[in-house]
């Protein structure tokens, strides 16, 4: 569970760092990423949703373990709010 949380937090920071190169709002929708951390493979599903403020997005990061390419979980879900700037 701890490593799954780290995976989610790393993805949050990856999105925050990507904001340094653009001022366009984050695209809405769901994207999936495969990550290797702690000698394990993980699947991160990031779902970006609008909020009541046009410059603020809600992103739910759901982490699954991949064991022999079989999805197990969700192990953890972390929600972040990321602004346009």
């Amino acid at each position: 569970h701890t490593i799954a949380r780290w995976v989610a937090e790393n993805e949050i920071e990856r999105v925050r760092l990507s904001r340094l190169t653009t001022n366009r709002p984050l695209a809405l929708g769901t994207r999936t990423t495969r990550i290797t951390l702690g000698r394990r493979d993980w699947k991160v599903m990031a779902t970006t949703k609008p909020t009541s403020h046009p410059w603020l997005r809600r992103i739910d990061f759901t982490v699954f373990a991949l064991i022999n390419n079989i999805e197990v979980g969700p192990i953890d879900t972390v929600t972040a709010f990321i602004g346009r700037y």
Side-chain angles (χ1 to χ4, degrees):
H1 182 78
T2 299
I3 296 175
R5 176 60 56 107
W6 291 343
V7 168
E9 290 176 355
N10 286 346
E11 286 302 295
I12 291 169
E13 292 310 314
R14 192 179 323 265
V15 171
R16 285 189 174 138
L17 286 172
S18 76
R19 306 307 307 145
L20 297 175
T21 59
T22 183
N23 67 354
R24 287 179 284 155
L26 288 168
L28 301 177
T30 300
R31 68 175 176 80
T32 302
T33 306
R34 186 180 181 128
I35 305 288
T36 300
L37 184 68
R39 288 186 250 154
R40 283 193 170 161
D41 290 326
W42 304 89
K43 174 184 166 185
V44 181
M45 187 170 58
T47 303
T48 305
K49 302 174 185 174
T51 65
S52 60
H53 193 287
W55 291 359
L56 187 65
R57 298 286 194 245
R58 173 189 171 137
I59 308 177
D60 296 313
F61 295 88
T62 305
V63 181
F64 300 85
L66 292 175
I67 300 173
N68 297 323
N69 285 326
I70 298 172
E71 188 178 294
V72 178
I75 306 298
D76 200 4
T77 300
V78 178
T79 299
F81 292 88
I82 298 178
R84 182 174 181 178
Y85 301 107

